[in-house]
Amino acid sequence: MQAAVGATPWLLIGFAAPLFYILIVIVSALLWGRRDGFRSFLWFLVVLPCIHFCWGIGFVLGYLSLTRNITAHTGR
């Protein structure tokens, strides 16, 4: 089955959020680095995504851990 001519494939829309995040990280790093120097800019490019990635992984693992045995806790 082919998509209509000119229609945006849904799969490509999924790239919008990560690209927007990367854009925000780069702009933030540029603004921060402008104030504190190039070394600060490089650290910001590394640290900001690491913090968000680790928090996200922790959130997903915590959620999965809590919902794994929900029936034992609720009695349903």
Side-chain angles (χ1 to χ4, degrees), residues 14-61:
F15 288 114
L19 290 177
F20 184 67
Y21 176 76
I22 291 170
L23 177 70
I24 288 182
V25 168
I26 291 172
V27 169
S28 299
L30 284 170
L31 292 174
W32 197 267
R34 202 157 148 226
R35 192 184 89 188
D36 290 344
F38 185 71
R39 188 169 181 207
S40 182
F41 164 76
L42 291 177
W43 273 113
F44 210 85
L45 283 179
V46 172
V47 171
L48 192 63
C50 284
I51 288 171
H52 287 127
F53 182 75
C54 292
W55 281 346
I57 292 295
F59 175 80
V60 170
L61 291 178

